[in-house]
Amino acid sequence: MTTTTEFKAWRVQEQDGDYVGSEQGLSTADLPENEVLIKVSHSSLNYKDALSASGNKGVTRNFPHTPGIDAAGEVVESSTGEPAVGSSVLVTGYDLGMNTAGGFGEYIRVPAAWCVTMPEGWDGRTAMIYGTAGLTAGLCVQKLLTMGARPDQGKVAVSGASGAVGSVAVELLAKLGFDVVAISGKKDHADGLKALGASEVVGRDALAAEKKPMLKPTYANAVDTVGGQPLAELLKQIQPGGSVSCCGLVAGPQLETTVLPFIIRGVNLLGVDSVEIPLTEKAAVWKKFAGEWACPKAEATARDIGRGQLDGALKAFLKGESSGKIVLDHSL
Ligand code: NDP
């Protein structure tokens, strides 16, 4: 028999054309019809959550809404039997937190096909330190490796390096033996980025707009988390045959480039989506992060916040001031 449980959620509603988030009391009867009810212990903060919370209709059409594109917790009801009641799961992407109530609530109800069994040795907090951002960093690195990227080819650049995706990408690439150049707009994060494994930290002006159609081939490969003009400049600086994994748009969704990096140097621009890919692909990357791809430094520097601190933390994302991984702990 289905029981109804009262719970707390951080909900965003429209007020006189503005979007305001606050803690509200809800019931599991308010959640959408779906196969699996999960008691969420932790969620993770992402740029997309900040867009949803600011009323971006490209992310969330209808308000009031509970953001949170990531969630980890325990299955309390399962109409399909798999995942089983009592098991620990994590959910990232698909429609969670976009138009389906997300992990900023203490309960979510989602399709069974969205649930990944918690990797062995992990708890909800560890999973959410990585979250969608970590998964995306892993997918970016995996695409470079699939294209044949090797440490002996030369430096690999990571843009938006102090961000949630960038910081995991820096640590993972360094761990795999790459010589990582972190590109960051935050001067005061240089030591932190070196501690994650970057051999060099350069300012965002390394990707400032240049009139020249091609530049010195400085990097063998790159992970770009910012898009826009900086990505266009990065493409001009990639060595022949190199690749750039592209996942983000904090510097803008437009990409104004010539075809020259592609046809003169054979550069590969690799698109990365962590949201709609098959669950098996997500599970394979999670398994790696729980094993040989573990990023203990990113884990150690993650910050935990409660629902009461969500507002400020999400606004920092929109201003480009966020750094590292932030975990929402529903028990705080
Ligand atoms: P964060 O806000 O944590 O990090 C982004 C970083 O980019 C900032 O910390 C800053 O780093 C840099 N930055 C911010 N604004 C600008 C700007 N105007 N110009 C240049 N650099 C800027 O975001 P995430 O790491 O969580 O996400 C990064 C991007 O990846 C976002 O666009 C997000 O939507 C996208 N994403 C895509 C996914 C996918 O599946 N494709 C999944 C997850 C995220 P610094 O100060 O070090 O330069």
Side-chain angles (χ1 to χ4, degrees):
M1 198 184 76
T2 305
T3 53
T4 300
T5 307
E6 307 290 314
F7 69 94
K8 294 275 195 294
W10 192 82
R11 298 262 282 172
V12 177
Q13 50 198 11
E14 192 173 356
Q15 280 176 8
D16 305 323
D18 209 2
Y19 290 85
V20 181
S22 63
E23 179 161 303
Q24 291 176 20
L26 288 179
S27 149
T28 49
D30 298 320
L31 293 172
E33 292 277 311
N34 265 321
E35 294 152 339
V36 184
L37 180 67
I38 298 166
K39 185 170 192 322
V40 178
S41 65
H42 297 82
S43 182
S44 176
L45 271 64
N46 290 281
Y47 188 76
K48 200 188 258 180
D49 298 320
L51 292 176
S52 171
S54 65
N56 185 306
K57 295 286 163 108
V59 178
T60 300
R61 286 186 302 275
N62 300 312
F63 293 86
H65 170 67
T66 308
I69 64 168
D70 294 339
E74 186 185 328
V75 175
V76 291
E77 282 172 20
S78 176
S79 65
T80 55
E82 190 56 50
V85 170
S87 61
S88 291
V89 292
L90 70 122
V91 182
T92 64
Y94 304 119
D95 193 48
L96 186 70
M98 293 179 69
N99 293 292
T100 300
F104 293 178
E106 291 175 304
Y107 282 84
I108 56 170
R109 196 183 275 119
V110 297
W114 291 7
C115 301
V116 174
T117 303
M118 189 67 70
E120 224 173 296
W122 269 17
D123 56 16
R125 179 177 183 271
T126 312
M128 291 295 100
I129 289 173
Y130 292 88
T132 288
L135 176 65
T136 306
L139 289 165
C140 285
V141 171
Q142 187 163 273
K143 277 222 166 165
L144 292 183
L145 297 176
T146 305
M147 288 303 291
R150 294 188 320 269
D152 64 318
Q153 293 164 335
K155 296 174 183 182
V156 58
V158 177
S159 64
S162 76
V165 178
S167 53
V168 175
V170 168
E171 183 171 356
L172 177 56
L173 284 162
K175 180 180 185 126
L176 296 175
F178 287 88
D179 181 358
V180 183
V181 177
I183 302 174
S184 175
K186 299 189 189 80
K187 288 200 176 87
D188 55 342
H189 274 64
D191 289 346
L193 287 165
K194 284 193 175 155
L196 286 177
S199 63
E200 204 181 322
V201 181
V202 299
R204 277 186 209 165
D205 49 2
L207 302 180
E210 287 271 357
K211 282 207 177 83
K212 287 186 192 162
M214 296 295 276
L215 296 168
K216 189 175 156 205
T218 307
Y219 307 111
N221 296 287
V223 170
D224 176 70
T225 75
V226 305
Q229 182 65 39
L231 172 56
E233 298 305 321
L234 188 55
L235 288 167
K236 296 177 189 173
Q237 300 182 39
I238 301 298
Q239 291 170 13
S243 300
V244 180
S245 291
C246 148
C247 70
L249 46 56
V250 290
Q254 306 290 345
L255 179 59
E256 287 177 29
T257 178
T258 69
V259 296
L260 296 182
F262 311 114
I263 65 174
I264 291 180
R265 291 191 185 148
V267 170
N268 307 296
L269 181 56
L270 313 172
V272 172
D273 164 40
S274 69
V275 178
E276 294 293 341
I277 56 170
L279 197 69
T280 47
E281 286 181 31
K282 294 185 184 183
V285 174
W286 290 126
K287 199 173 162 203
K288 283 191 177 167
F289 274 125
E292 74 263 30
W293 278 10
C295 291
K297 294 167 189 161
E299 289 184 30
T301 52
R303 285 184 291 138
D304 299 86
I305 63 167
R307 289 186 298 274
Q309 293 156 281
L310 275 172
D311 196 51
L314 291 169
K315 285 184 174 139
F317 268 92
L318 293 179
K319 289 188 214 148
E321 289 170 359
S322 193
S323 62
K325 282 299 310 181
I326 306 174
V327 174
L328 171 66
D329 181 342
H330 280 293
S331 70
L332 294 178

